[in-house]
């Protein structure tokens, strides 16, 4: 599987696409552009971010903001408030436990159910 090829099917920003699964984890891809992701956390699940292409502003509560670039990876531990944004289009891969809710318990205009992430 080529992730850049898979990204061609992702038309909307902030809408992850499940591309495969490993054990109890989903591997997802998404495009980010803008600041619509709300502050949120995942109470019981860690979340891995990998930058496929572009730059992503990663904000993690009580930490200095960081700009992640192509090839960078970060794990946000369970229970930690965070949000992401990007000025220009950024393509990312996420690895999340199957129980991980898109924006945790926070509901917003971009929140997607697991069914909406299954293309």
């Amino acid at each position: 599987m080529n992730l850049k090829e898979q990204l061609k099917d992702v038309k909307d920003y902030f809408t992850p696409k499940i591309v495969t699964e490993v054990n109890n984890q989903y591997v997802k891809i998404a495009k980010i552009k803008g600041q619509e992701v709300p502050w949120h956390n995942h109470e019981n699940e860690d979340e891995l971010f990998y930058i496929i292409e572009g730059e992503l502003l990663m904000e993690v509560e009580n930490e200095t903001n960081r700009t992640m670039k192509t090839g960078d990876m970060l794990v946000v531990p369970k229970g930690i408030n965070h949000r992401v944004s990007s000025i220009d289009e950024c393509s990312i891969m996420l690895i999340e436990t199957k129980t991980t809710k898109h924006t945790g318990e926070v509901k917003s205009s971009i929140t997607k159910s697991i069914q909406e992430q299954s293309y």
Side-chain angles (χ1 to χ4, degrees), residues 3-4 7 27-30 32 47-54 56 58 68-75 90-95:
L3 292 179
K4 288 184 180 181
L7 279 160
V27 178
K28 303 176 183 180
I29 55 174
I32 306 294
E47 186 175 30
L48 182 143
F49 290 81
Y50 175 78
I51 310 305
I52 298 168
E53 193 167 38
L56 185 77
M58 173 63 71
M68 298 176 65
K69 299 181 181 189
T70 300
D72 288 348
M73 184 176 74
L74 175 75
V75 174
C90 179
S91 301
I92 65 173
M93 178 181 71
L94 302 161
I95 299 178

Side-chain angles (χ1 to χ4, degrees), residues 1 3 6 16-30 48 50 52 92-98 114 117-119:
M1 173 184 309
L3 292 179
Q6 292 289 315
K17 172 187 176 186
I18 298 169
V19 292
T20 193
E21 54 187 87
V22 179
N23 299 315
N24 196 33
Q25 308 288 314
Y26 283 131
V27 178
K28 303 176 183 180
I29 55 174
L48 182 143
Y50 175 78
I52 298 168
I92 65 173
M93 178 181 71
L94 302 161
I95 299 178
E96 304 174 329
T97 305
K98 291 181 180 179
I114 233 12
Q117 297 175 53
S118 301
Y119 286 56

Side-chain angles (χ1 to χ4, degrees), residues 9-45:
D9 293 336
V10 178
K11 305 298 182 207
D12 298 320
Y13 297 120
F14 313 110
T15 303
K17 172 187 176 186
I18 298 169
V19 292
T20 193
E21 54 187 87
V22 179
N23 299 315
N24 196 33
Q25 308 288 314
Y26 283 131
V27 178
K28 303 176 183 180
I29 55 174
K31 292 179 181 175
I32 306 294
K33 184 177 181 183
Q35 300 178 344
E36 283 77 14
V37 177
W39 280 99
H40 68 282
N41 69 65
H42 307 284
E43 185 176 334
N44 299 305
E45 302 98 356

